[in-house]
Amino acid sequence: MKYLVFLGTVRDSTPPKPPRVGERVAKACVHYLEKTFEDADVELIDPLDYELDRVFKPHFSYHQNKVPEALQTLAEKIEQADAYVMVSPEYNHSMSPALANLLNHFGASLYSYKPSAIVTYSAGQWGGTRAAVNMRTFLSELGCLPVSAMIHVPKAQEVFEESGKFAAHVKDVERWVGYFGRTLNQLCWWGQAAKEQRQAYDPRKLVKDFKRDPSQRNAPNGDSD
Ligand SMILES: Cc1cc2nc3c(=O)[nH]c(=O)nc-3n(C[C@H](O)[C@H](O)[C@H](O)COP(=O)(O)O)c2cc1C
């Protein structure tokens, strides 16, 4: 099983302190998956590793042999993955613009028929729950349906060290591990089920991807002026 853990922060300045708390949360997800599932092949996707143009041009807008190398590499990773973990901070009660921007560079056909897990965090007490609500819609539209359980980490900078390990003062580590497991074990189950079903029956035989225009999904009476 191939997992991609998307990190949703590119913030490298303060305040608020510390910056890039998301790295800790994303690494904690990587640790959990690697420790829990023997066959897990987990990769952390850091948006800072992908230089995107200032002018928005998604992967699918390039001529096939003109796609920038980094964009093509990530497209292949997304296509080959079996499940996604989407780690986002809450910025103004919304999901991270850096994460949305990175994900928007790829068409739904690359994410489709695979599950995702919503993981949010904040420096304050709400753990990014308000961002999570909208992420469910966003990820559903991308085709990687979020599993029902979600992870929300309030005061994430106090829960995890920079390495993604639990901070020494955290007493209820077992409860935290159980909490992460509720979502990530669901992700594993759905990921495995979807993988087997994709291999048994190609979903594109039933439902075609939208390759040209979103109007391809219009209701019949939506075609007339
Ligand atoms: C532009 C901006 C908006 C923020 N909005 C919220 C918010 O709506 N709710 C919240 O709980 N925290 C909010 N915060 C605080 C973040 O939760 C905190 O800074 C966190 O560390 C951000 O994650 P990052 O360090 O990985 O970028 C905001 C921070 C920034 C920079």
Side-chain angles (χ1 to χ4, degrees):
M1 282 275 294
K2 281 192 179 32
Y3 296 87
L4 293 187
V5 177
F6 281 87
L7 169 60
T9 178
V10 288
R11 193 173 70 95
D12 205 12
S13 55
T14 60
K17 258 184 173 176
R20 291 202 107 204
V21 173
E23 251 188 313
R24 304 171 188 221
V25 182
K27 284 179 183 168
C29 293
V30 172
H31 294 327
Y32 181 91
L33 292 168
E34 286 180 341
K35 241 175 137 174
T36 312
F37 305 114
E38 245 175 43
D39 71 336
D41 171 356
V42 192
E43 184 173 346
L44 200 157
I45 303 294
D46 185 337
L48 285 182
D49 292 339
Y50 296 90
E51 257 186 49
L52 302 171
D53 276 348
R54 212 161 52 82
V55 175
F56 177 62
K57 185 165 179 179
H59 174 261
F60 50 80
S61 294
Y62 285 91
H63 193 276
Q64 233 169 19
N65 54 13
K66 297 237 163 86
V67 186
E69 202 181 323
L71 217 53
Q72 182 57 28
T73 305
L74 186 50
E76 285 165 17
K77 287 181 185 188
I78 293 171
E79 191 164 32
Q80 285 157 14
D82 300 303
Y84 311 102
V85 180
M86 305 298 190
V87 181
S88 179
E90 179 172 299
Y91 287 170
N92 297 318
H93 293 196
S94 308
M95 78 183 276
S96 144
L99 179 61
N101 184 41
L102 185 62
L103 299 180
N104 281 342
H105 275 78
F106 305 94
S109 61
L110 300 184
Y111 302 94
S112 286
Y113 305 104
K114 301 159 197 176
S116 60
I118 295 171
V119 180
T120 63
Y121 62 92
S122 67
Q125 64 179 324
W126 304 112
T129 45
R130 293 156 298 203
V133 172
N134 163 259
M135 284 175 76
R136 197 171 276 291
T137 333
F138 185 105
L139 295 170
S140 298
E141 178 59 15
L142 264 193
C144 51
L145 304 188
V147 299
S148 69
M150 296 188 273
I151 296 170
H152 312 295
V153 188
K155 302 182 185 170
Q157 71 283 7
E158 294 176 17
V159 179
F160 297 112
E161 293 173 354
E162 278 179 38
S163 64
K165 304 276 184 214
F166 289 99
H169 65 85
V170 174
K171 289 198 182 72
D172 38 10
V173 167
E174 220 172 288
R175 277 189 64 194
W176 271 110
V177 173
Y179 178 64
F180 269 58
R182 198 175 149 68
T183 296
L184 297 180
N185 295 359
Q186 270 195 6
L187 182 74
C188 170
W189 191 93
W190 280 112
Q192 221 136 25
K195 182 177 183 172
E196 282 166 27
Q197 187 60 5
R198 283 197 311 278
Q199 284 163 354
Y201 195 98
D202 179 1
R204 268 93 196 178
K205 283 189 183 156
L206 278 176
V207 186
K208 300 269 176 272
D209 289 329
F210 299 115
K211 289 283 186 202
R212 285 180 294 111
D213 194 295
S215 69
Q216 288 177 282
R217 72 180 123 184
N218 283 1
N221 62 4
D223 287 340
S224 53
D225 295 327

PDB file of all heavy atoms in Angstrom, residues 5 12 112 136:
ATOM      1  N   VAL A   5       1.451  11.416   2.235  1.00  0.00           N
ATOM      2  CA  VAL A   5       1.035  12.319   3.319  1.00  0.00           C
ATOM      3  C   VAL A   5       1.353  13.739   2.858  1.00  0.00           C
ATOM      4  O   VAL A   5       2.522  14.118   2.750  1.00  0.00           O
ATOM      5  CB  VAL A   5       1.783  11.992   4.629  1.00  0.00           C
ATOM      6  CG1 VAL A   5       1.397  12.984   5.724  1.00  0.00           C
ATOM      7  CG2 VAL A   5       1.482  10.560   5.075  1.00  0.00           C
ATOM      8  N   ASP A  12       7.073  30.064   6.827  1.00  0.00           N
ATOM      9  CA  ASP A  12       8.422  29.956   7.374  1.00  0.00           C
ATOM     10  C   ASP A  12       8.764  31.157   8.241  1.00  0.00           C
ATOM     11  O   ASP A  12       9.922  31.483   8.432  1.00  0.00           O
ATOM     12  CB  ASP A  12       9.423  29.816   6.208  1.00  0.00           C
ATOM     13  CG  ASP A  12      10.691  29.119   6.672  1.00  0.00           C
ATOM     14  OD1 ASP A  12      10.674  28.576   7.786  1.00  0.00           O
ATOM     15  OD2 ASP A  12      11.690  29.158   5.940  1.00  0.00           O
ATOM     16  N   SER A 112      -8.814   9.708  -8.067  1.00  0.00           N
ATOM     17  CA  SER A 112     -10.109   9.027  -7.953  1.00  0.00           C
ATOM     18  C   SER A 112     -10.023   7.566  -7.560  1.00  0.00           C
ATOM     19  O   SER A 112      -9.043   6.895  -7.853  1.00  0.00           O
ATOM     20  CB  SER A 112     -10.850   9.118  -9.281  1.00  0.00           C
ATOM     21  OG  SER A 112     -11.318  10.418  -9.441  1.00  0.00           O
ATOM     22  N   ARG A 136     -13.766  18.232   3.547  1.00  0.00           N
ATOM     23  CA  ARG A 136     -14.568  17.060   3.142  1.00  0.00           C
ATOM     24  C   ARG A 136     -15.169  17.281   1.748  1.00  0.00           C
ATOM     25  O   ARG A 136     -15.154  16.404   0.886  1.00  0.00           O
ATOM     26  CB  ARG A 136     -15.661  16.813   4.195  1.00  0.00           C
ATOM     27  CG  ARG A 136     -16.263  15.451   4.131  1.00  0.00           C
ATOM     28  CD  ARG A 136     -17.165  15.176   5.305  1.00  0.00           C
ATOM     29  NE  ARG A 136     -16.483  14.713   6.491  1.00  0.00           N
ATOM     30  CZ  ARG A 136     -15.899  13.517   6.615  1.00  0.00           C
ATOM     31  NH1 ARG A 136     -15.906  12.669   5.623  1.00  0.00           N
ATOM     32  NH2 ARG A 136     -15.289  13.176   7.722  1.00  0.00           N
TER      33      ARG A 136
END
